[in-house]
Amino acid sequence: MPFLLKLLPSKPVFAHCDIPCGIYDPHTAQLASQTVLKMVQKMKALPKDDIHSLIRMVSVKEDHAELCKREILILWTDYFKSEHLEKFPDLHELVWKACKLCSDNKRAVDEVKAQELVEAVDKIADIFNETSRL
Amino acid sequence: MKPPVSKFKVYGNSMLPTLKPGQEVLTFNWGKVKVGDVVVVKSAKLKVQSEIIKRVQKIIDNKVYLVGDNKTESTDSRHFGPVDQSQITGKVLYYFHDATAAR
């Protein structure tokens, strides 16, 4: 009997979930952006011949710039809703610029850009905190 | 008229650990459902066009309250409210245990 049933064609049925985990926090993005800034500052203070530390710091900086972008995008795509955008109309622009800053910081060693990234992520976190209180 | 049985393949995590993604089930479509049954439902209330699979938590009058076994990862009556009993396609009669069902 089970063998014959196996021959039956099956239709898809969804054990579905519209909502991802529902847990969001901008803190990871903030930590990542601050790590990028810290790495840039440490690299600049490093003795020229300390290649080993330099390579490690480059690696940490790039990983955290990437992580920061990913965390911002999770908030953007999964957490923020249209009603948040009505209240904060520059949100899309802010997210877009922050993501571009992540890419810039992954590529370059630039303290000004790193500082801009920290500020941009803090602004997104402020909007998050404001909207999550609503 | 509905066929007496249908076969479905499960997509999604909301019925874990009872049903794994990729697992197939056979439903009986002519009987009445009771609390505790795993049912396949097609409702206009749902965002997804296809049928969904959940467990019956309670039945009040003609309304069925559905909840996924994996409560932290399920959209169900806690979000879209109870559904009409008439919208139930069938209840699970047989679980296929296939070693290839993927998590």
Side-chain angles (χ1 to χ4, degrees):
Chain A
M1 172 80 165
F3 173 74
L4 288 173
L5 291 175
K6 277 195 174 181
L7 299 176
L8 268 176
S10 63
K11 292 192 290 180
V13 64
F14 292 86
H16 86 305
C17 178
D18 293 335
I19 307 161
C21 61
I23 300 164
Y24 302 103
D25 193 334
H27 199 223
T28 315
Q30 286 177 294
L31 273 180
S33 67
Q34 284 160 18
T35 304
V36 169
L37 176 62
K38 196 78 186 171
M39 286 304 115
V40 170
Q41 289 166 342
K42 276 179 166 286
M43 268 187 258
K44 290 200 161 170
L46 209 60
K48 277 205 167 59
D49 57 346
D50 193 352
I51 300 294
H52 176 73
S53 298
L54 179 71
I55 290 170
R56 291 192 66 197
M57 286 168 193
V58 167
S59 170
V60 171
K61 174 182 72 75
E62 295 197 4
D63 286 350
H64 281 78
E66 188 69 37
L67 173 68
C68 188
K69 194 196 295 187
R70 182 181 144 75
E71 289 293 320
I72 293 168
L73 290 176
I74 288 171
L75 292 178
W76 190 43
T77 54
D78 297 349
Y79 169 74
F80 286 118
K81 309 279 183 298
S82 49
E83 60 260 34
H84 301 148
L85 201 63
E86 280 168 26
K87 204 166 174 225
F88 299 95
D90 60 344
L91 181 66
H92 283 344
E93 180 80 8
L94 192 60
V95 168
W96 185 58
K97 281 188 174 165
C99 287
K100 288 223 169 281
L101 281 167
C102 290
S103 305
D104 287 344
N105 276 287
K106 192 174 171 190
R107 198 168 45 236
V109 183
D110 184 334
E111 199 170 341
V112 175
K113 290 270 183 207
Q115 188 61 50
E116 282 176 17
L117 175 63
V118 171
E119 285 162 17
V121 173
D122 283 349
K123 274 188 201 166
I124 295 170
D126 287 345
I127 294 178
F128 175 92
N129 292 331
E130 191 75 23
T131 54
S132 63
R133 272 201 296 271
L134 295 176
Chain B
M1 192 174 174
K2 288 191 285 190
V5 292
S6 308
K7 195 172 151 194
F8 292 95
K9 187 172 189 171
V10 177
Y11 290 81
N13 294 328
S14 78
M15 284 300 288
L16 282 170
T18 314
L19 291 168
K20 294 182 176 69
Q23 191 170 354
E24 292 181 313
V25 294
L26 190 77
T27 60
F28 181 59
N29 307 334
W30 287 0
K32 287 189 91 174
V33 298
K34 59 183 191 302
V35 170
D37 284 343
V38 175
V39 293
V40 170
V41 178
K42 187 166 178 65
S43 169
K45 278 185 169 184
L46 307 172
K47 282 187 192 170
V48 287
Q49 293 298 306
S50 194
E51 282 141 308
I52 62 159
I53 189 160
K54 302 286 171 189
R55 191 179 294 278
V56 177
Q57 196 184 54
K58 57 188 171 190
I59 304 173
I60 299 169
D61 299 328
N62 224 8
K63 300 276 186 188
V64 185
Y65 197 87
L66 306 167
V67 181
D69 283 1
N70 180 7
K71 290 188 178 53
T72 56
E73 221 179 314
S74 173
T75 300
D76 46 43
S77 290
R78 292 172 298 168
H79 308 91
F80 53 71
V83 299
D84 243 57
Q85 261 202 60
S86 61
Q87 292 172 321
I88 292 176
T89 303
K91 70 173 184 179
V92 174
L93 181 73
Y94 183 79
Y95 298 87
F96 292 88
H97 293 282
D98 186 346
T100 60
R103 230 233 95 188

